[in-house]
PDB file of all heavy atoms in Angstrom:
ATOM      1  N   ASN A   2     -70.590  26.476-124.445  1.00 79.00           N
ATOM      2  CA  ASN A   2     -71.762  25.711-124.796  1.00 79.00           C
ATOM      3  C   ASN A   2     -71.559  24.782-125.947  1.00 79.00           C
ATOM      4  O   ASN A   2     -72.096  23.629-126.032  1.00 79.00           O
ATOM      5  CB  ASN A   2     -73.025  26.597-125.237  1.00 79.00           C
ATOM      6  CG  ASN A   2     -73.364  27.649-124.061  1.00 79.00           C
ATOM      7  OD1 ASN A   2     -73.285  27.103-122.980  1.00 79.00           O
ATOM      8  ND2 ASN A   2     -73.759  28.790-124.339  1.00 79.00           N
ATOM      9  N   ASP A   3     -70.596  25.138-126.887  1.00 84.00           N
ATOM     10  CA  ASP A   3     -70.349  24.383-127.966  1.00 84.00           C
ATOM     11  C   ASP A   3     -69.469  23.078-127.659  1.00 84.00           C
ATOM     12  O   ASP A   3     -69.281  22.259-128.512  1.00 84.00           O
ATOM     13  CB  ASP A   3     -69.550  25.223-129.064  1.00 84.00           C
ATOM     14  CG  ASP A   3     -70.500  26.247-129.655  1.00 84.00           C
ATOM     15  OD1 ASP A   3     -71.743  26.087-129.625  1.00 84.00           O
ATOM     16  OD2 ASP A   3     -69.972  27.236-130.136  1.00 84.00           O
ATOM     17  N   TYR A   5     -70.328  20.762-125.897  1.00 95.00           N
ATOM     18  CA  TYR A   5     -71.262  19.576-125.981  1.00 95.00           C
ATOM     19  C   TYR A   5     -71.093  18.905-127.328  1.00 95.00           C
ATOM     20  O   TYR A   5     -71.234  17.625-127.284  1.00 95.00           O
ATOM     21  CB  TYR A   5     -72.673  19.972-125.763  1.00 95.00           C
ATOM     22  CG  TYR A   5     -72.996  20.443-124.303  1.00 95.00           C
ATOM     23  CD1 TYR A   5     -73.051  21.718-123.982  1.00 95.00           C
ATOM     24  CD2 TYR A   5     -73.178  19.531-123.291  1.00 95.00           C
ATOM     25  CE1 TYR A   5     -73.366  22.192-122.624  1.00 95.00           C
ATOM     26  CE2 TYR A   5     -73.435  19.896-121.885  1.00 95.00           C
ATOM     27  CZ  TYR A   5     -73.508  21.165-121.620  1.00 95.00           C
ATOM     28  OH  TYR A   5     -73.818  21.585-120.372  1.00 95.00           O
ATOM     29  N   ASN A  13     -68.892   9.245-128.941  1.00 98.00           N
ATOM     30  CA  ASN A  13     -69.507   8.332-129.929  1.00 98.00           C
ATOM     31  C   ASN A  13     -68.495   7.799-130.927  1.00 98.00           C
ATOM     32  O   ASN A  13     -68.890   6.805-131.699  1.00 98.00           O
ATOM     33  CB  ASN A  13     -70.583   9.038-130.542  1.00 98.00           C
ATOM     34  CG  ASN A  13     -71.813   9.165-129.618  1.00 98.00           C
ATOM     35  OD1 ASN A  13     -72.523   8.278-129.350  1.00 98.00           O
ATOM     36  ND2 ASN A  13     -71.997  10.412-129.059  1.00 98.00           N
ATOM     37  N   ARG A  23     -58.232  10.494-123.148  1.00 96.00           N
ATOM     38  CA  ARG A  23     -57.199  10.342-122.177  1.00 96.00           C
ATOM     39  C   ARG A  23     -56.668  11.776-121.822  1.00 96.00           C
ATOM     40  O   ARG A  23     -56.547  12.101-120.577  1.00 96.00           O
ATOM     41  CB  ARG A  23     -56.102   9.472-122.636  1.00 96.00           C
ATOM     42  CG  ARG A  23     -54.959   9.195-121.567  1.00 96.00           C
ATOM     43  CD  ARG A  23     -54.059   8.111-121.956  1.00 96.00           C
ATOM     44  NE  ARG A  23     -53.233   8.434-123.056  1.00 96.00           N
ATOM     45  CZ  ARG A  23     -52.096   9.031-123.048  1.00 96.00           C
ATOM     46  NH1 ARG A  23     -51.610   9.421-121.799  1.00 96.00           N
ATOM     47  NH2 ARG A  23     -51.408   9.236-124.104  1.00 96.00           N
ATOM     48  N   PRO A  42     -59.853  36.327-131.813  1.00 78.00           N
ATOM     49  CA  PRO A  42     -58.465  36.721-131.936  1.00 78.00           C
ATOM     50  C   PRO A  42     -57.988  37.288-130.603  1.00 78.00           C
ATOM     51  O   PRO A  42     -56.902  37.017-130.124  1.00 78.00           O
ATOM     52  CB  PRO A  42     -58.546  37.903-133.065  1.00 78.00           C
ATOM     53  CG  PRO A  42     -59.621  37.436-133.950  1.00 78.00           C
ATOM     54  CD  PRO A  42     -60.719  36.952-132.980  1.00 78.00           C
ATOM     55  N   ASN A  43     -58.819  38.045-129.845  1.00 82.00           N
ATOM     56  CA  ASN A  43     -58.493  38.598-128.535  1.00 82.00           C
ATOM     57  C   ASN A  43     -58.149  37.591-127.556  1.00 82.00           C
ATOM     58  O   ASN A  43     -57.138  37.652-126.799  1.00 82.00           O
ATOM     59  CB  ASN A  43     -59.521  39.517-127.984  1.00 82.00           C
ATOM     60  CG  ASN A  43     -59.556  40.843-128.868  1.00 82.00           C
ATOM     61  OD1 ASN A  43     -58.635  41.237-129.530  1.00 82.00           O
ATOM     62  ND2 ASN A  43     -60.725  41.370-128.810  1.00 82.00           N
ATOM     63  N   LYS A  57     -38.603  30.913-128.876  1.00 85.00           N
ATOM     64  CA  LYS A  57     -39.211  30.826-130.206  1.00 85.00           C
ATOM     65  C   LYS A  57     -40.436  31.810-130.355  1.00 85.00           C
ATOM     66  O   LYS A  57     -40.925  32.364-129.373  1.00 85.00           O
ATOM     67  CB  LYS A  57     -39.712  29.461-130.568  1.00 85.00           C
ATOM     68  CG  LYS A  57     -38.563  28.445-130.591  1.00 85.00           C
ATOM     69  CD  LYS A  57     -39.130  27.043-131.007  1.00 85.00           C
ATOM     70  CE  LYS A  57     -38.049  25.999-131.020  1.00 85.00           C
ATOM     71  NZ  LYS A  57     -38.586  24.611-131.272  1.00 85.00           N
ATOM     72  N   LEU A  69     -65.346  26.926-135.668  1.00 92.00           N
ATOM     73  CA  LEU A  69     -66.392  28.017-135.853  1.00 92.00           C
ATOM     74  C   LEU A  69     -67.584  27.485-136.613  1.00 92.00           C
ATOM     75  O   LEU A  69     -67.535  26.692-137.510  1.00 92.00           O
ATOM     76  CB  LEU A  69     -65.726  29.062-136.673  1.00 92.00           C
ATOM     77  CG  LEU A  69     -64.566  29.941-135.994  1.00 92.00           C
ATOM     78  CD1 LEU A  69     -63.983  30.737-137.103  1.00 92.00           C
ATOM     79  CD2 LEU A  69     -65.141  30.784-134.955  1.00 92.00           C
ATOM     80  N   SER A  71     -70.241  28.214-139.406  1.00 95.00           N
ATOM     81  CA  SER A  71     -70.109  28.821-140.674  1.00 95.00           C
ATOM     82  C   SER A  71     -71.023  29.994-140.929  1.00 95.00           C
ATOM     83  O   SER A  71     -70.754  30.893-141.595  1.00 95.00           O
ATOM     84  CB  SER A  71     -70.236  27.917-141.843  1.00 95.00           C
ATOM     85  OG  SER A  71     -71.664  27.492-141.939  1.00 95.00           O
ATOM     86  N   GLN A  74     -76.217  30.341-144.899  1.00 96.00           N
ATOM     87  CA  GLN A  74     -77.575  30.172-145.123  1.00 96.00           C
ATOM     88  C   GLN A  74     -78.033  29.187-146.241  1.00 96.00           C
ATOM     89  O   GLN A  74     -79.162  28.807-146.427  1.00 96.00           O
ATOM     90  CB  GLN A  74     -78.385  31.572-145.361  1.00 96.00           C
ATOM     91  CG  GLN A  74     -78.079  32.485-144.128  1.00 96.00           C
ATOM     92  CD  GLN A  74     -78.622  33.914-144.403  1.00 96.00           C
ATOM     93  OE1 GLN A  74     -79.471  34.028-145.325  1.00 96.00           O
ATOM     94  NE2 GLN A  74     -78.083  34.800-143.794  1.00 96.00           N
ATOM     95  N   TYR A  98     -57.628  25.456-137.575  1.00 94.00           N
ATOM     96  CA  TYR A  98     -58.973  25.880-137.457  1.00 94.00           C
ATOM     97  C   TYR A  98     -59.878  24.973-138.289  1.00 94.00           C
ATOM     98  O   TYR A  98     -59.487  24.178-139.219  1.00 94.00           O
ATOM     99  CB  TYR A  98     -59.119  27.394-138.044  1.00 94.00           C
ATOM    100  CG  TYR A  98     -58.890  27.474-139.497  1.00 94.00           C
ATOM    101  CD1 TYR A  98     -59.874  27.315-140.394  1.00 94.00           C
ATOM    102  CD2 TYR A  98     -57.518  27.729-139.944  1.00 94.00           C
ATOM    103  CE1 TYR A  98     -59.680  27.515-141.812  1.00 94.00           C
ATOM    104  CE2 TYR A  98     -57.303  27.938-141.359  1.00 94.00           C
ATOM    105  CZ  TYR A  98     -58.350  27.795-142.227  1.00 94.00           C
ATOM    106  OH  TYR A  98     -58.053  27.914-143.564  1.00 94.00           O
ATOM    107  N   ARG A 104     -74.602  25.319-140.938  1.00 96.00           N
ATOM    108  CA  ARG A 104     -74.679  26.735-140.425  1.00 96.00           C
ATOM    109  C   ARG A 104     -74.159  26.867-138.970  1.00 96.00           C
ATOM    110  O   ARG A 104     -73.345  27.649-138.645  1.00 96.00           O
ATOM    111  CB  ARG A 104     -76.153  27.123-140.427  1.00 96.00           C
ATOM    112  CG  ARG A 104     -76.439  28.548-140.042  1.00 96.00           C
ATOM    113  CD  ARG A 104     -77.845  29.010-140.250  1.00 96.00           C
ATOM    114  NE  ARG A 104     -78.074  30.403-139.950  1.00 96.00           N
ATOM    115  CZ  ARG A 104     -79.004  31.115-140.473  1.00 96.00           C
ATOM    116  NH1 ARG A 104     -79.840  30.603-141.400  1.00 96.00           N
ATOM    117  NH2 ARG A 104     -79.136  32.406-140.240  1.00 96.00           N
ATOM    118  N   ASN A 112     -81.520  13.530-136.142  1.00 95.00           N
ATOM    119  CA  ASN A 112     -82.993  13.583-136.304  1.00 95.00           C
ATOM    120  C   ASN A 112     -83.701  12.833-135.277  1.00 95.00           C
ATOM    121  O   ASN A 112     -84.829  13.220-134.812  1.00 95.00           O
ATOM    122  CB  ASN A 112     -83.435  12.916-137.709  1.00 95.00           C
ATOM    123  CG  ASN A 112     -82.801  13.660-138.892  1.00 95.00           C
ATOM    124  OD1 ASN A 112     -82.425  14.891-138.773  1.00 95.00           O
ATOM    125  ND2 ASN A 112     -82.582  13.001-139.928  1.00 95.00           N
ATOM    126  N   TYR A 126     -93.235  23.096-134.098  1.00 89.00           N
ATOM    127  CA  TYR A 126     -92.082  23.736-134.734  1.00 89.00           C
ATOM    128  C   TYR A 126     -90.996  22.676-134.998  1.00 89.00           C
ATOM    129  O   TYR A 126     -90.485  22.598-136.051  1.00 89.00           O
ATOM    130  CB  TYR A 126     -91.468  24.808-133.747  1.00 89.00           C
ATOM    131  CG  TYR A 126     -90.464  25.744-134.384  1.00 89.00           C
ATOM    132  CD1 TYR A 126     -90.955  26.975-134.906  1.00 89.00           C
ATOM    133  CD2 TYR A 126     -89.179  25.368-134.527  1.00 89.00           C
ATOM    134  CE1 TYR A 126     -89.950  27.914-135.408  1.00 89.00           C
ATOM    135  CE2 TYR A 126     -88.201  26.205-135.042  1.00 89.00           C
ATOM    136  CZ  TYR A 126     -88.555  27.499-135.477  1.00 89.00           C
ATOM    137  OH  TYR A 126     -87.663  28.346-136.014  1.00 89.00           O
ATOM    138  N   GLU A 144     -83.183  28.426-133.781  1.00 88.00           N
ATOM    139  CA  GLU A 144     -83.582  29.264-132.703  1.00 88.00           C
ATOM    140  C   GLU A 144     -84.497  30.449-133.304  1.00 88.00           C
ATOM    141  O   GLU A 144     -85.551  30.702-132.695  1.00 88.00           O
ATOM    142  CB  GLU A 144     -82.442  29.931-132.033  1.00 88.00           C
ATOM    143  CG  GLU A 144     -82.840  30.974-130.930  1.00 88.00           C
ATOM    144  CD  GLU A 144     -81.677  31.728-130.326  1.00 88.00           C
ATOM    145  OE1 GLU A 144     -80.553  31.677-130.866  1.00 88.00           O
ATOM    146  OE2 GLU A 144     -81.903  32.294-129.245  1.00 88.00           O
ATOM    147  N   LYS A 145     -84.124  31.100-134.294  1.00 89.00           N
ATOM    148  CA  LYS A 145     -84.796  32.371-134.750  1.00 89.00           C
ATOM    149  C   LYS A 145     -85.773  32.166-135.949  1.00 89.00           C
ATOM    150  O   LYS A 145     -86.576  33.052-136.183  1.00 89.00           O
ATOM    151  CB  LYS A 145     -83.657  33.533-135.099  1.00 89.00           C
ATOM    152  CG  LYS A 145     -82.876  33.809-134.027  1.00 89.00           C
ATOM    153  CD  LYS A 145     -81.716  34.710-134.459  1.00 89.00           C
ATOM    154  CE  LYS A 145     -80.809  35.156-133.291  1.00 89.00           C
ATOM    155  NZ  LYS A 145     -79.685  36.018-133.720  1.00 89.00           N
ATOM    156  N   LYS A 163     -88.809  26.060-151.087  1.00 81.00           N
ATOM    157  CA  LYS A 163     -89.849  26.386-151.991  1.00 81.00           C
ATOM    158  C   LYS A 163     -91.040  25.511-151.887  1.00 81.00           C
ATOM    159  O   LYS A 163     -92.254  25.864-152.114  1.00 81.00           O
ATOM    160  CB  LYS A 163     -89.325  26.334-153.451  1.00 81.00           C
ATOM    161  CG  LYS A 163     -88.861  25.031-153.853  1.00 81.00           C
ATOM    162  CD  LYS A 163     -88.304  25.035-155.311  1.00 81.00           C
ATOM    163  CE  LYS A 163     -87.813  23.616-155.776  1.00 81.00           C
ATOM    164  NZ  LYS A 163     -87.358  23.608-157.181  1.00 81.00           N
ATOM    165  N   ASP A 165     -92.003  24.014-148.894  1.00 69.00           N
ATOM    166  CA  ASP A 165     -92.278  23.882-147.648  1.00 69.00           C
ATOM    167  C   ASP A 165     -93.551  24.524-147.162  1.00 69.00           C
ATOM    168  O   ASP A 165     -93.757  25.690-147.349  1.00 69.00           O
ATOM    169  CB  ASP A 165     -91.162  24.500-146.705  1.00 69.00           C
ATOM    170  CG  ASP A 165     -91.388  24.246-145.255  1.00 69.00           C
ATOM    171  OD1 ASP A 165     -91.695  23.173-144.846  1.00 69.00           O
ATOM    172  OD2 ASP A 165     -91.239  25.304-144.528  1.00 69.00           O
ATOM    173  N   LYS A 173     -92.158  32.474-137.053  1.00 79.00           N
ATOM    174  CA  LYS A 173     -92.284  32.842-135.599  1.00 79.00           C
ATOM    175  C   LYS A 173     -91.086  32.185-134.898  1.00 79.00           C
ATOM    176  O   LYS A 173     -90.747  31.125-135.127  1.00 79.00           O
ATOM    177  CB  LYS A 173     -93.565  32.116-135.090  1.00 79.00           C
ATOM    178  CG  LYS A 173     -94.826  32.584-135.823  1.00 79.00           C
ATOM    179  CD  LYS A 173     -96.116  31.781-135.321  1.00 79.00           C
ATOM    180  CE  LYS A 173     -97.282  32.252-136.021  1.00 79.00           C
ATOM    181  NZ  LYS A 173     -98.492  31.444-135.555  1.00 79.00           N
ATOM    182  N   PRO A 177     -89.489  26.952-127.392  1.00 71.00           N
ATOM    183  CA  PRO A 177     -89.345  25.483-127.054  1.00 71.00           C
ATOM    184  C   PRO A 177     -90.128  25.110-125.768  1.00 71.00           C
ATOM    185  O   PRO A 177     -89.878  25.839-124.770  1.00 71.00           O
ATOM    186  CB  PRO A 177     -87.922  25.361-127.078  1.00 71.00           C
ATOM    187  CG  PRO A 177     -87.363  26.634-126.641  1.00 71.00           C
ATOM    188  CD  PRO A 177     -88.186  27.664-127.370  1.00 71.00           C
ATOM    189  N   ILE A 179     -89.248  22.423-124.224  1.00 66.00           N
ATOM    190  CA  ILE A 179     -88.338  21.471-123.522  1.00 66.00           C
ATOM    191  C   ILE A 179     -87.525  22.246-122.462  1.00 66.00           C
ATOM    192  O   ILE A 179     -86.828  21.670-121.785  1.00 66.00           O
ATOM    193  CB  ILE A 179     -87.434  20.755-124.549  1.00 66.00           C
ATOM    194  CG1 ILE A 179     -86.620  21.741-125.425  1.00 66.00           C
ATOM    195  CG2 ILE A 179     -88.238  19.858-125.407  1.00 66.00           C
ATOM    196  CD1 ILE A 179     -85.579  21.051-126.299  1.00 66.00           C
ATOM    197  N   SER A 186     -81.803  29.600-121.425  1.00 75.00           N
ATOM    198  CA  SER A 186     -81.759  30.197-122.772  1.00 75.00           C
ATOM    199  C   SER A 186     -81.439  29.165-123.837  1.00 75.00           C
ATOM    200  O   SER A 186     -80.971  28.151-123.510  1.00 75.00           O
ATOM    201  CB  SER A 186     -80.742  31.320-122.881  1.00 75.00           C
ATOM    202  OG  SER A 186     -79.459  30.761-122.818  1.00 75.00           O
ATOM    203  N   SER A 189     -77.761  28.196-123.992  1.00 80.00           N
ATOM    204  CA  SER A 189     -77.201  27.341-122.892  1.00 80.00           C
ATOM    205  C   SER A 189     -77.857  26.038-122.870  1.00 80.00           C
ATOM    206  O   SER A 189     -77.176  25.068-122.405  1.00 80.00           O
ATOM    207  CB  SER A 189     -77.371  28.175-121.541  1.00 80.00           C
ATOM    208  OG  SER A 189     -78.764  28.299-121.323  1.00 80.00           O
ATOM    209  N   PHE A 195     -77.043  17.353-127.255  1.00 96.00           N
ATOM    210  CA  PHE A 195     -75.940  16.397-127.777  1.00 96.00           C
ATOM    211  C   PHE A 195     -75.655  15.282-126.634  1.00 96.00           C
ATOM    212  O   PHE A 195     -74.941  14.235-127.082  1.00 96.00           O
ATOM    213  CB  PHE A 195     -74.605  17.156-128.055  1.00 96.00           C
ATOM    214  CG  PHE A 195     -74.605  17.854-129.383  1.00 96.00           C
ATOM    215  CD1 PHE A 195     -74.684  19.186-129.477  1.00 96.00           C
ATOM    216  CD2 PHE A 195     -74.503  17.109-130.562  1.00 96.00           C
ATOM    217  CE1 PHE A 195     -74.658  19.863-130.704  1.00 96.00           C
ATOM    218  CE2 PHE A 195     -74.511  17.673-131.795  1.00 96.00           C
ATOM    219  CZ  PHE A 195     -74.591  19.125-131.838  1.00 96.00           C
ATOM    220  N   ARG A 208     -76.274  12.507-140.329  1.00 97.00           N
ATOM    221  CA  ARG A 208     -76.601  13.986-140.464  1.00 97.00           C
ATOM    222  C   ARG A 208     -75.552  14.601-141.388  1.00 97.00           C
ATOM    223  O   ARG A 208     -75.660  15.720-141.777  1.00 97.00           O
ATOM    224  CB  ARG A 208     -76.521  14.652-139.182  1.00 97.00           C
ATOM    225  CG  ARG A 208     -77.815  14.604-138.347  1.00 97.00           C
ATOM    226  CD  ARG A 208     -79.007  15.178-139.121  1.00 97.00           C
ATOM    227  NE  ARG A 208     -78.842  16.619-139.171  1.00 97.00           N
ATOM    228  CZ  ARG A 208     -78.925  17.315-140.396  1.00 97.00           C
ATOM    229  NH1 ARG A 208     -79.139  16.671-141.572  1.00 97.00           N
ATOM    230  NH2 ARG A 208     -78.896  18.659-140.412  1.00 97.00           N
ATOM    231  N   ILE A 210     -74.025  12.565-144.062  1.00 97.00           N
ATOM    232  CA  ILE A 210     -73.786  11.691-145.216  1.00 97.00           C
ATOM    233  C   ILE A 210     -74.068  12.384-146.589  1.00 97.00           C
ATOM    234  O   ILE A 210     -73.507  11.957-147.568  1.00 97.00           O
ATOM    235  CB  ILE A 210     -74.666  10.402-145.086  1.00 97.00           C
ATOM    236  CG1 ILE A 210     -74.227   9.300-146.060  1.00 97.00           C
ATOM    237  CG2 ILE A 210     -76.091  10.718-145.203  1.00 97.00           C
ATOM    238  CD1 ILE A 210     -72.879   8.725-145.793  1.00 97.00           C
ATOM    239  N   LEU A 228     -52.717  17.517-132.616  1.00 93.00           N
ATOM    240  CA  LEU A 228     -52.144  18.468-131.805  1.00 93.00           C
ATOM    241  C   LEU A 228     -51.641  17.797-130.425  1.00 93.00           C
ATOM    242  O   LEU A 228     -50.885  18.363-129.630  1.00 93.00           O
ATOM    243  CB  LEU A 228     -53.208  19.494-131.389  1.00 93.00           C
ATOM    244  CG  LEU A 228     -53.625  20.416-132.515  1.00 93.00           C
ATOM    245  CD1 LEU A 228     -54.880  21.184-132.057  1.00 93.00           C
ATOM    246  CD2 LEU A 228     -52.546  21.415-132.860  1.00 93.00           C
TER     247      LEU A 228
END
Side-chain angles (χ1 to χ4, degrees):
N2 299 326
D3 293 337
Y5 289 101
N13 290 283
R23 181 167 70 87
N43 291 333
K57 296 181 181 179
L69 291 167
S71 72
Q74 298 173 25
Y98 66 89
R104 182 172 186 153
N112 300 335
Y126 193 98
E144 178 187 13
K145 298 176 182 177
K163 63 180 179 180
D165 180 48
K173 301 175 183 178
I179 58 174
S186 67
S189 65
F195 279 111
R208 280 299 293 128
I210 195 66
L228 295 167

